[in-house]
Structures are given as C-alpha cells and as structure tokens.
C-alpha cells in the first residue's frame, strides 16, 4: 500500500486493498473470527507490512480467546447488561450513571469511587464519540486497595468492548460511514504532585497504555489534555516515552485556555459547560460527568435499590402508571416527610399540560429550590419513560401542571435508575408519570407474543434530598 495513505480518512479502494493484503496472510481461524479489520489493517499494513500485521492479528485473536473477552457482559440493545460507566446522548442504551444493580460487580462499584469520573458524552462534529474523564479527581492511591491489576484490566477491557461493540456501531449508523475512533478529553483540574509522582499508579498506566496499543490500536482520533499544570511537564516526559509515535501525534496538551480548541472539534451543545460548552445534562444526577470524589451526585449503596417503597405492574396492554408526591416546605411547622397518593389516569397522558423548561416550576421570590430523588427499577421490558409535572397546592385537580421533567427514556431493566428533580420550596405536588416504552422508542428488540404477556414489575421510591442523605449517611451534594 502507498505510504502516503491518510490513515484517518482512507478511500474505499485503500480499505479494500489493505484488507485483501492482510486476509491473504491470516490463518483460516483468524479470517473467520475477524470481521472488523479496517482501521487496524490500514495502520499495520502501512506501517509494519502485512506479514507482521498478520502476526499481530493472530496474537490479538488468541488473546481475546484466552482472556474470554467475547464473554464480557457488554451492554447492547439486545441484552439487559448494565452500562459499565456513565453515558449521555446515545440511543443504543439510555442515559445512565453507574448504579449498584445486581449485575454490577463490587469491584466496579469500588473502582467507581476511586475514579475521578468519566462519561461517553455525545459526539464530535464528525460523528465520533466523545469520552470525557475528570483525571485530576482520581483517588490514585486507593485504586490498588480495592482491586488487583487484573481486576482493573478486566474493568478497562469491559469499557473498551462497550465502546467497540455498542458505541462505535451506533455512531457509524448515524454518520453513514464507519466510525471506529473516539475523541478523548482528560481534564486535569484538581491534580496534585502526589498523583503525578505515585510510582504504582504510573506503572499501572504504563501497562494499560501498552495493552491498549496492542489490543485496541487506532481507536483514538484525538486526545486533549486540558487544565494541565506546569508540574505535568515532568510526568509527561516519562509518559510520552511509552507511546507509539502515531498515538503521540494525536495528543494535544492544553493549559487553561482550552475551550476554543475543544470547540473546533466538539459542538458547544455536546461539550459540558465546565469545559467551555453549553451542555449541562440537567436531567441526570451529576450532570454531564458525574464524579464520586467530586461529590456532585448521590453515590448510593447497593441496599438503596432494594425493597423500594412502591411496587406496581405494567404491561404492553396497560403501560401507564401515575403517582402524586406531596412536597412539604422545608421550613414548614410539620416535619418534611412527604405524603403520597395514587393519581391514576392523570390528564398529562392526554396531552393536557403546559410545557416549560426543566427546572422552571413557578416560584415566589422567597421560595428556595428543593431537590427530590426518585429511585426505580424494572425486572424486564424495553425501557421506561418518565415525565414529572409540578402542581402548586391549592390548584384544582383539573388545572394544568407545569412540566418540570420532560419525557426521558431509561433502562431500569439493566440497572437501577436514580433521578434528581427540582421543586420549589412550597407546598404542592410532583406528578410522576411512568409508561412502558413504545415500539418506536429505544433500540431494544420487540418482545414476542408470549413475552409481551408477562407483566413488567416497576418498583420505586421518592425522597427529599434531606431524607436520602440522612438515611444513607451521605455527604452533602456539591452541585458544581
């Protein structure tokens, strides 16, 4: 192949030539096993020659088989595995945080407490997925306390496979062409000299970079390291020596004035506000990038998602359930223990509502915002759609409610869902509406006739922030 090939934007002819040259040198088993060789074939054939590329691919196949990579529980539309890490703005799986569901391992939950916070967050201007990591918030010294190196790698491979099997195919479908690379943003805000000089952490990073370059080559289009302090220079001199020259050429280290550069790559509506964009993902606890060390959302224990207060059955023939939740002002004489009552067939389902932006429920100048949390799970199904309206105390039951949480589809059949709602600090009701996802919503396969007759069990609890923090001994939520 011609050495002048643009490896990031090859022509169809160049792709075909690279694959043909490589497949001719692969074993029959490798040819049968491998179906997505485009990016790695182009890189390997152009830079190392097809013979060496064939050796690399055969070793890659053997590694996957020996490590049982194909058996990892990767969340995809046709299964109910939980997402391995937070995600925003995709349709193959619904927006989600990592919550303590029965299919989420203890190691995942412990690692999540030490990681600075990350998220697959929408797409760049060319349709590539954007992954954002609050790298400066890592609790580096705690990682080795909660898992072994092999446990860390297993979690890392699960994330890589989720990207490869779920995120890339969706982006490819939307873009109308193959998408096999992501854009990465590492935010170093909060990083310390102790983190940059912690030898065990640097050794883990070196090993991880080595594995990624060997087993997941050419998955990165560009990486931006932002909020990089001057002390990062010393660590970077060491880290860069571990990287392939082609990988190194795609990494851009930026200081404090990074927003203009990021916005060249990522639309403002897809870039979090804390990185210079306009997105806030206010429909999710933690916003765009939830972080346990930062404390910007409630990190609830496993017990918080069992024995929930309410249990109802939904079905495809009776897909809706509504519930009214009484909000008592925090400064009221009575204790702020809300009362609830069923509200069947609320008019919202007939389209009788007045829409308003998220969080714009009517307030008086003296009213303060209160936060209410809802936890819910489902034992099966294609997803649950939620909307919430606000109705001030004293308004009639026939009055229009104000939409404070527009319809969103979630996947509680994968893992529990935690939502955060804003309500004014005044008496009134939050009107919750749940319904089974329609057949034109989400990507989960349609149930057959027999499965469609099985009821879907929805369980939920609704609490004020004060009661949730008290019950589970949480630190105050830092909404930044």
């Amino acid at each position: 192949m011609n050495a002048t090939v643009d490896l990031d934007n090859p022509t169809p002819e160049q792709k075909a030539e690279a694959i043909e040259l490589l497949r001719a040198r692969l074993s029959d088993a490798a040819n049968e096993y491998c179906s997505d060789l485009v990016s790695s074939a182009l890189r390997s054939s152009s830079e190392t020659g097809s013979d060496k590329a064939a050796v690399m691919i055969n070793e890659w196949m053997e590694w996957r088989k020996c490590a049982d990579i194909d058996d990892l529980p990767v969340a995809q539309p046709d299964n109910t595995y939980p997402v391995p890490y937070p995600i925003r703005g995709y349709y193959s799986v619904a927006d989600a945080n990592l919550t303590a569901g029965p299919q989420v391992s203890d190691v995942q939950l412990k690692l999540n407490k030490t990681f600075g916070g990350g998220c697959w967050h929408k797409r760049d201007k060319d349709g590539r997925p954007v992954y954002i990591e609050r790298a400066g918030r890592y609790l580096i010294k705690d990682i080795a306390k909660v898992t072994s190196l092999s446990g860390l790698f297993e979690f890392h491979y699960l994330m890589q496979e989720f990207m490869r099997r779920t995120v890339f195919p969706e982006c490819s479908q939307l873009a109308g062409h193959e998408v096999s690379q992501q854009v990465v943003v590492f935010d170093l805000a909060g990083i310390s000299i102790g983190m940059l000089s912690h030898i065990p952490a640097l050794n883990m990073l070196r090993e991880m970079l080595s594995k990624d370059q060997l087993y997941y080559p050419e998955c990165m289009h560009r990486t931006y390291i932002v909020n990089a302090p001057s002390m990062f220079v010393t660590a970077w001199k060491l880290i860069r020596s571990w990287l392939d020259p082609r990988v190194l050429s795609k990494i851009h280290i930026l200081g404090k004035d990074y927003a203009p550069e990021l916005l060249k790559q990522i639309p403002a509506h897809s870039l979090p506000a804390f990185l210079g964009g306009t997105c806030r993902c206010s429909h999710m606890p933690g916003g765009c990038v939830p972080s346990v060390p930062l404390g910007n959302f409630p990190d609830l224990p496993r017990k918080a998602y069992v024995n929930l207060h309410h249990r109802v059955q939904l079905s495809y023939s009776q897909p809706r359930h509504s519930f009214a939740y009484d909000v008592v002002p925090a400064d009221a004489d009575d204790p702020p223990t809300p009362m609830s009552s069923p509200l069947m067939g609320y008019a919202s389902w007939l389209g009788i509502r007045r829409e308003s932006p998220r969080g714009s429920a009517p307030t008086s100048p003296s009213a303060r915002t209160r936060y209410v949390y809802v936890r819910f799970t489902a034992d099966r199904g294609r997803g649950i759609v939620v909307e919430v309206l606000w109705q001030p105390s004293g308004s009639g039951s026939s009055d229009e409610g104000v939409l404070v949480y527009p319809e969103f589809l979630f996947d509680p059949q994968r893992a529990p869902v935690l939502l955060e709602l804003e309500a004014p600090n005044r008496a009134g009701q939050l009107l919750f509406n749940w319904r089974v996802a329609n057949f034109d919503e989400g990507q989960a396969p349609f149930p057959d006739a027999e499965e469609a007759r099985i009821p879907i069990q929805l369980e939920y609890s609704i609490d004020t922030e004060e009661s949730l923090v008290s019950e589970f001994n949480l630190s105050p939520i830092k909404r930044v």
Side-chain angles (χ1 to χ4, degrees):
M1 176 171 284
N2 192 310
T4 62
V5 170
D6 182 350
L7 299 180
D8 292 318
N9 296 287
T11 67
E13 293 76 16
Q14 290 165 343
K15 289 182 180 181
E17 180 185 352
I19 291 175
E20 182 180 1
L21 287 171
L22 184 53
R23 282 196 179 279
R25 289 164 173 77
L26 292 177
S27 66
D28 291 341
N31 263 310
E32 183 179 354
Y33 180 81
C34 302
S35 59
D36 183 15
L37 297 176
V38 175
S39 297
S40 59
L42 279 169
R43 172 188 179 276
S44 301
S45 297
S46 299
E47 296 185 3
T48 65
S50 295
D51 289 334
K52 188 172 182 179
V55 173
M56 292 170 60
I57 293 296
N58 283 317
E59 291 177 349
W60 171 81
M61 179 189 71
E62 290 302 318
W63 164 75
R64 292 184 66 87
K65 290 184 176 181
C66 291
D68 295 322
I69 298 299
D70 292 331
D71 295 329
L72 290 174
V74 177
Q76 294 182 279
D78 61 353
N79 64 39
T80 59
Y81 292 134
V83 297
Y85 221 39
I87 189 167
R88 307 284 190 266
Y90 293 81
Y91 62 80
S92 295
V93 295
D95 287 4
N97 290 341
L98 183 64
T99 55
Q103 298 186 89
V104 177
S105 70
D106 288 338
V107 170
Q108 282 180 268
L109 297 175
K110 291 176 181 178
L111 282 173
N112 193 46
K113 292 180 183 296
T114 66
F115 290 175
C119 185
W120 282 281
H121 191 274
K122 303 184 179 181
R123 287 163 286 275
D124 77 351
K125 292 181 178 180
D126 297 313
R128 301 181 192 90
V130 176
Y131 179 78
I132 299 170
E133 185 80 46
R134 295 182 187 265
R137 302 295 178 178
Y138 267 62
L139 304 179
I140 292 291
K141 296 181 180 180
D142 291 343
I143 294 178
K145 299 177 183 178
V146 301
T147 188
S148 63
L149 190 60
S150 62
L152 178 64
F153 282 155
E154 182 176 348
F155 180 64
H156 181 68
Y157 294 149
L158 176 61
M159 292 179 61
Q160 293 284 58
E161 289 297 307
F162 177 73
M163 175 185 67
R164 180 175 172 270
R165 298 189 218 173
T166 304
V167 176
F168 283 162
E170 177 182 324
C171 291
S172 298
Q173 185 179 42
L174 288 174
H177 58 79
E178 182 192 39
V179 173
S180 57
Q181 295 179 322
Q182 66 177 341
V183 172
V184 179
V185 180
F186 287 124
D187 180 10
L188 299 189
I191 200 165
S192 67
I193 187 64
M195 295 170 63
L196 294 173
S197 60
H198 188 61
I199 299 302
L202 291 173
N203 288 336
M204 285 191 296
L205 177 61
R206 181 178 184 177
E207 187 71 15
M208 192 172 294
L209 290 172
S210 173
K211 300 290 187 185
D212 278 354
Q213 291 176 101
L214 184 61
Y215 300 133
Y216 296 97
E218 286 300 302
C219 286
M220 185 262 288
H221 172 70
R222 193 162 294 163
T223 290
Y224 298 94
I225 300 176
V226 305
N227 285 313
S230 57
M231 60 184 172
F232 177 70
V233 174
T234 302
W236 178 241
K237 288 179 181 179
L238 176 63
I239 295 169
R240 65 179 295 144
S241 67
W242 305 334
L243 298 172
D244 180 279
R246 177 162 163 76
V247 172
L248 197 59
S249 70
K250 298 181 177 186
I251 298 175
H252 301 261
I253 300 177
L254 309 175
K256 301 293 183 181
D257 189 25
Y258 52 80
E261 194 68 24
L262 293 183
L263 289 169
K264 292 178 184 177
Q265 184 81 41
I266 305 168
H269 62 78
S270 294
L271 186 66
F274 72 87
L275 291 175
T278 59
C279 185
R280 296 187 181 277
C281 288
S282 57
H283 65 294
M284 294 295 295
C288 296
V289 186
S291 168
V292 177
L294 196 59
N296 64 357
F297 78 108
D299 180 39
L300 296 179
R302 198 179 294 277
K303 65 181 181 180
Y305 296 107
V306 297
N307 299 320
L308 301 182
H309 299 156
H310 305 282
R311 181 178 301 176
V312 297
Q313 285 190 346
L314 305 177
S315 67
Y316 291 98
S317 59
Q318 295 182 324
R320 298 164 179 162
H321 171 71
S322 297
F323 203 86
Y325 177 87
D326 290 345
V327 176
V328 179
D331 54 358
D333 292 335
D334 296 328
T337 302
M339 300 172 291
S340 304
S341 58
L343 186 76
M344 303 307 297
Y346 181 68
S348 169
W349 293 115
L350 302 177
I352 305 173
R353 64 174 181 245
R354 176 167 61 84
E355 296 199 7
S356 62
R358 164 99 161 95
S360 62
T363 62
S364 67
S366 61
R368 293 180 290 110
T369 298
R370 292 195 80 188
Y371 290 92
V372 172
Y373 287 90
V374 54
R375 295 165 276 160
F376 65 99
T377 67
D379 65 343
R380 63 181 65 248
R382 302 182 63 254
I384 298 292
V385 176
V386 183
E387 75 165 6
V388 185
L389 298 97
W390 166 260
Q391 197 166 42
S393 180
S395 57
S397 60
S398 61
D399 290 352
E400 297 179 3
V402 177
L403 186 65
V404 295
Y405 195 92
E407 285 193 341
F408 274 97
L409 172 65
F410 295 99
D411 288 336
Q413 74 277 13
R414 297 185 184 276
V417 176
L418 175 70
L419 298 183
E420 178 186 86
L421 308 170
E422 295 180 25
N425 188 35
R426 56 182 294 190
Q429 288 186 324
L430 288 172
L431 310 171
F432 288 83
N433 293 319
W434 284 274
R435 65 171 172 83
V436 175
N438 294 328
F439 288 143
D440 60 349
E441 295 174 307
Q443 294 292 301
F446 303 150
D448 57 32
E450 181 177 353
E451 184 182 358
R453 287 194 290 268
I454 303 175
I456 299 168
Q457 184 165 280
L458 171 69
E459 297 185 26
Y460 62 94
S461 289
I462 307 170
D463 302 277
T464 62
E465 178 179 355
E466 296 90 340
S467 61
L468 196 72
V469 167
S470 175
E471 181 177 357
F472 298 108
N473 195 28
L474 305 176
S475 299
I477 311 305
K478 302 175 184 176
R479 294 178 180 86
V480 294

